[in-house]
Amino acid sequence: MTDLSPSPQDRRLVRLLVQVGTGLFTLAITLLGLLLITFIIGRVVPIDPVLSIVGERATQAQMQAVRDALGLDLPLWQQFAIYVGDALQGDLGRSIRTGDAIVSEIARYFPATLELATLGTLIGTLVGVPAGVLAATRPGSLADQVVRLVGLMGYSMPVFWLGLIGLLVFYGKLDWVAGPGRLDPSYDMMMQFTLTTYTGMILIDSALNGAWDVFRNAISHIILPAGLLGYVSMAYISRMTRSFMMNELGQEYITTARVKGMPEWRVIWVHAMRNVMVPLITVIALSYAYLLEGSVLTETIFAWPGLGSYITDALFAADMPAVLGGTVVVGVVFVTLNMVSDIVYRLVDPRARA
Amino acid sequence: MTALRAWLTDPSPSSRRQARLGQLWLAWLRIRRNSLAMAGLAIVSILVLVAAFAPLIAPHDPLVQDLSRRLLPPGTPGNWLGTDDFGRDILSRIIHGARITLYIIGLVALTAPVLGLLIGTVAGYFGGWVDAVLMRLTDIFLAFPRLILALALVAVLGPGIENAVLAIALTAWPPYARVARAETLTVRNSDYIAAVRLQGAGSARIIAGHIVPMCLSSVIIRVTLDMAGVILIAAGLGFLGLGVQPPLPEWGLMISSGRKFLFEQWWVATMPGLAIFIVSLGFNLLGDGLRDVLDPRSAPK
C-alpha cells in the first residue's frame, strides 16, 4: 500500500502555488484597471489626435485615412480591446512628436531613472535602517528625537526645492559635485561612441568597460540627486524601522536572550533584526516604487534624461500617447514591485505562509 | 473657568454632549503635553491667520511690478525677503500665497475624504460584490503613482487651480476609502445598527447618520497627515507650470520662476520653498501628535 495523501511539503507547495495564482489574478485585474483609466484619460483629451498627426492643412481624405488607421471610428469597447491587446504585446502606440514607438523610447530613458532610484534606495536603506535601530534602542533620547525630526523634515520638504538648494550649495558655491546631466559633454560623447552599452546604466557600463574616468564623472553627477532621493526614502525607512524594532524589542524572546547574557549588538542585529527584516522588505520595496515616481520632479531639476523627464517633456509638447504610455509603465512597475515584495514576504516569513 | 473645567471632567456626565466635550477636553490635555504637536498646531494656526489677514499684513501689493527695484537681496529696508525679477516684494507674495495654499488644501480636504468616506462606508456596509468592485477600484487607484496620475489628469483637464484641485482630490481618496471601510466593518453588525434598522431606517440613513460619524476620528487624523502631501503635490504641479498660473503668487510657481537665477539671486527660489517646508512640517507634526493622542493603538504606556 502506498500512501497517496500529499506529504506536508507537497501541501505547502500547493498552497504557495495557489497564493501566487491568486496574486497573479489580482495583478491582471489591477493592470486591466490601469489600462482602463489611461484609456479613458486618453479619450477625453481635448487634443484631436488626428489633427496633431496630419497637421492643419490636410485634406478630408487624409484625415479619414489616419482616422481609420487609428481605429477611431470603432465603438469605444472595441477600441479599448485593441488598446489592451496592443499593450499586452508591448505596443503602447507611437509618440506624436517623434513618430517613434513609445515603448522603445521609454526603454531608452528608463535605465537612467532605474540607476538613480536604485542608488537612492541604497543610500536610504544604508542610512535609514541603522538610524531607525538607533532610535528604537534609545527611545526618548536625543538621538531618537534627532532621527524623528530629520525624518519629519524629509517628509515635509518639497523635493524639487531641496534639489535646487543642493545645486546652489554643492555645485554653485562649494563646487564639490558636477552639475545637471548624467555626464560632462566630453565624457558623454565617449560613452556614446567609444564604449559598449550593456545596460544603459552609466555607472555599470563604464565599470564594465574599465573606463574609470567616465565612472568617476558619472558618480560626481549622480551623487547629488541620488543623495536627495536617498534622504527622502531614508525618512520613511528609518521611521518604519524604528517602529518595527520597538515592537520586536518588547517581545519575550529578546528578554530571554538578554537574560542569558547575550551581547546587546547580537540581540539587536541578529535576533531582533531577523524578524524586523520581513516587514522591512515591503517598506523598502514601497519606497523604491515611490522614488521611481519622485523622479519626475528630481529629473526636471537635474536635467536627468529619465522617465520623469520623458513624461514632463511629452506633457509640454501635448504628446498625450507618450504621457499615457509613460504613466502605464510607471504604474506597471509600481504594481509589480508591490506584488514581488508580497511574494518575497511570504517566502521569508513562515508565519505568512500559513 | 473652573466651573467649566469641572463640568468637562465630571465623571458622570448628564448628557451626551457633556460626555463628548469631556472626551475632547481630555484629548486636548494630552495633545498639549506633546510639544512637537503644539508646534505643528501653532504653524497651522499662523497659516490660517496669515491667509485671513493677508492684505493687512503684507507690506506691498503682491502683483504690482516695480522694475527699478528688481532682484533686491533680502534685508533691504521695505523688502525684508528681497524682490523678484519683476520687482515684486517676495514677503508680500508669500503672505498672499498662503491664501492659495489654504484654498487648495481646503478644497481637497472637503472633497477627497467625502468621496473616500462614501465609497468606503458603502463598500463596508453592503459587502458582497459591491464591496469587491469598489475595493478593487480603490486598489487600482492606489496602485497608480499619485503625482503621475495627477500630472496625466491635469494634462487632460488643462492647467489651473481648480483642475489641480480636482486632479489631487481624484488621486487622494483611496486611503480614506480603505480607512472608512475598515471602521464600517467593525460597527456594521453592532446592536445599535440593528436597533436603527428595526426602527425602519433605510441604508442611506444608517450609513450617513450612524456609520459615517464612527469613521470621522480616523479620517480626521488621516486628513491632517495627508495635507502635508497635498501641499507638496500642489507645489510640484505649480512648479511644473501645471497648477496655478502666473501672475498669482503660488509658492511652487514662485520657486520655478526663481530657478532661472538660482546661482546669482538665490533668495527668489529659496524663500517660497521655506514657506512650503514650514507649513508642510506643521501639518506633519500636528497629524503625528493627533495620531498619538487619538489612536488607541499607539497610546503611550
Side-chain angles (χ1 to χ4, degrees):
Chain A
M1 279 295 285
T2 47
D3 185 11
L4 286 177
S5 67
S7 68
Q9 283 92 344
D10 284 350
R11 221 174 284 158
R12 207 182 303 148
L13 186 68
V14 167
R15 217 180 290 141
L16 188 68
L17 283 180
V18 168
Q19 278 172 354
V20 170
T22 331
L24 286 178
F25 180 70
T26 321
L27 181 69
I29 297 274
T30 312
L31 290 182
L32 200 65
L34 251 159
L35 286 174
L36 182 61
I37 294 176
T38 48
F39 177 76
I40 293 172
I41 295 178
R43 280 311 114 159
V44 294
V45 194
I47 309 161
D48 184 354
V50 177
L51 209 59
S52 56
I53 291 177
V54 295
E56 306 225 339
R57 264 178 262 167
T59 62
Q60 209 62 32
Q62 279 171 318
M63 287 182 70
Q64 192 55 45
V66 174
R67 195 177 302 262
D68 288 342
L70 291 175
L72 289 176
D73 287 336
L74 297 172
L76 271 183
W77 66 268
Q78 225 168 338
Q79 289 187 34
F80 179 60
I82 294 174
Y83 179 65
V84 172
D86 284 349
L88 286 180
Q89 293 169 43
D91 178 6
L92 290 171
R94 287 182 177 280
S95 154
I96 291 178
R97 275 174 306 168
T98 57
D100 286 342
I102 289 168
V103 170
S104 62
E105 285 195 337
I106 288 179
R108 248 194 343 267
Y109 281 86
F110 195 62
T113 300
L114 196 64
E115 187 173 35
L116 190 58
T118 308
L119 196 61
T121 306
L122 211 62
I123 295 174
T125 310
L126 290 181
V127 181
V129 173
V133 170
L134 180 74
T137 49
R138 295 177 187 73
S141 70
L142 183 67
D144 184 23
Q145 303 279 7
V146 168
V147 169
R148 181 174 183 172
L149 198 65
V150 170
L152 269 179
M153 284 167 69
Y155 272 108
S156 313
M157 208 93 74
V159 85
F160 53 96
W161 177 68
L162 197 58
L164 287 177
I165 304 272
L167 272 179
L168 173 66
V169 174
F170 296 109
Y171 169 63
K173 302 279 180 220
L174 297 173
D175 204 17
W176 285 356
V177 299
R182 291 176 88 185
L183 283 173
D184 288 352
S186 55
Y187 289 114
D188 200 33
M189 299 290 268
M190 204 165 138
M191 193 73 217
Q192 273 179 26
F193 298 114
T194 60
L195 301 182
T196 333
T197 305
Y198 299 100
T199 60
M201 288 184 262
I202 290 181
L203 288 179
I204 295 178
D205 285 356
S206 60
L208 287 178
N209 278 292
W212 297 108
D213 47 342
V214 179
F215 183 81
R216 264 195 303 278
N217 188 256
I219 284 275
S220 150
H221 275 272
I222 201 175
I223 196 68
L224 193 55
L228 197 72
L229 291 178
Y231 176 46
V232 174
S233 76
M234 184 277 275
Y236 181 50
I237 291 176
S238 69
R239 186 190 175 102
M240 298 315 275
T241 309
R242 178 183 183 274
S243 90
F244 296 149
M245 191 49 116
M246 293 273 279
N247 198 21
E248 259 349 285
L249 289 180
Q251 305 286 327
E252 287 180 351
Y253 74 94
I254 295 292
T255 317
T256 313
R258 281 185 181 146
V259 169
K260 285 197 312 191
M262 185 178 286
E264 190 63 18
W265 64 266
R266 210 178 143 80
V267 172
I268 292 169
W269 288 102
V270 179
H271 285 230
M273 204 55 194
R274 275 175 82 101
N275 281 317
V276 169
M277 208 120 83
V278 179
L280 207 54
I281 292 172
T282 318
V283 166
I284 292 173
L286 216 64
S287 82
Y288 191 47
Y290 278 119
L291 286 199
L292 288 177
E293 177 197 21
S295 60
V296 171
L297 289 165
T298 323
E299 286 176 3
T300 318
I301 302 285
F302 290 94
W304 198 262
L307 195 52
S309 300
Y310 180 74
I311 293 177
T312 38
D313 288 351
L315 204 61
F316 290 118
D319 187 352
M320 275 318 275
V323 173
L324 294 177
T327 310
V328 168
V329 169
V330 177
V332 168
V333 173
F334 219 72
V335 175
T336 317
L337 269 175
N338 274 325
M339 204 66 230
V340 168
S341 78
D342 205 43
I343 291 172
V344 170
Y345 185 98
R346 283 170 204 280
L347 287 178
V348 175
D349 189 348
R351 284 167 302 184
R353 265 184 245 144
Chain B
M1 193 62 208
T2 37
L4 178 65
R5 195 169 300 160
W7 183 77
L8 284 168
T9 49
D10 190 348
S12 49
S14 57
S15 71
R16 188 194 290 182
R17 192 196 301 153
Q18 186 181 357
R20 266 199 202 143
L21 289 174
Q23 284 299 317
L24 272 181
W25 170 251
L26 290 180
W28 162 249
L29 287 183
R30 263 178 287 156
I31 291 190
R32 220 173 48 176
R33 278 207 303 272
N34 185 335
S35 52
L36 284 180
M38 288 314 286
L41 184 63
I43 293 173
V44 174
S45 314
I46 291 173
L47 171 77
V48 173
L49 287 178
V50 164
F53 299 110
L56 300 178
I57 304 172
H60 297 274
D61 187 303
L63 301 180
V64 167
Q65 306 180 1
D66 180 359
L67 292 182
S68 65
R69 294 181 65 78
R70 63 193 295 271
L71 297 171
L72 294 175
T76 312
N79 306 92
W80 294 109
L81 294 184
T83 58
D84 68 4
D85 49 332
F86 290 108
R88 297 174 295 200
D89 181 44
I90 292 179
L91 178 63
S92 306
R93 284 177 71 73
I94 289 179
I95 289 174
H96 278 268
R99 292 191 149 188
I100 298 175
T101 301
L102 203 64
Y103 178 68
I104 292 176
I105 58 180
L107 277 183
V108 173
L110 283 179
T111 49
V114 172
L115 186 62
L117 263 174
L118 185 73
I119 291 180
T121 49
V122 166
Y125 181 75
F126 288 106
W129 66 269
V130 178
D131 186 31
V133 169
L134 287 180
M135 281 301 110
R136 208 86 294 274
L137 187 73
T138 311
D139 285 348
I140 290 168
F141 269 89
L142 267 182
F144 249 120
R146 232 171 122 178
L147 179 64
I148 294 195
L149 183 57
L151 274 183
L153 283 170
V154 174
V156 172
L157 301 167
I161 186 165
E162 276 79 17
N163 289 343
V165 168
L166 193 61
I168 295 172
L170 277 175
T171 56
W173 65 268
Y176 298 106
R178 279 266 182 96
V179 170
R181 175 176 176 271
E183 296 277 339
T184 308
L185 287 180
T186 61
V187 299
R188 180 171 67 161
N189 296 321
S190 331
D191 291 341
Y192 84 95
I193 297 287
V196 179
R197 199 177 295 140
L198 280 175
Q199 284 172 356
S203 304
R205 190 182 191 90
I206 294 178
I207 290 177
H210 300 275
I211 290 183
V212 165
M214 302 305 287
C215 308
L216 279 184
S217 75
S218 348
V219 166
I220 288 173
I221 300 173
R222 183 87 225 180
V223 168
T224 318
L225 279 172
D226 229 26
M227 285 310 113
V230 168
I231 292 172
L232 294 187
I233 291 195
L237 288 177
F239 179 77
L240 290 174
L242 294 167
V244 179
Q245 295 299 297
L248 284 180
E250 198 270 329
W251 295 342
L253 191 64
M254 287 168 71
I255 298 181
S256 119
S257 74
R259 201 179 151 190
K260 291 182 291 258
F261 14 82
L262 176 69
F263 296 113
E264 293 78 30
Q265 285 87 22
W266 53 270
W267 57 90
V268 185
T270 311
M271 298 301 177
L274 268 178
I276 299 174
F277 167 56
I278 291 171
V279 170
S280 154
L281 186 65
F283 275 102
N284 269 329
L285 289 172
L286 181 62
D288 235 32
L290 276 182
R291 187 176 46 194
D292 287 351
V293 172
L294 297 179
D295 189 350
R297 271 164 301 181
S298 60
K301 283 166 222 142

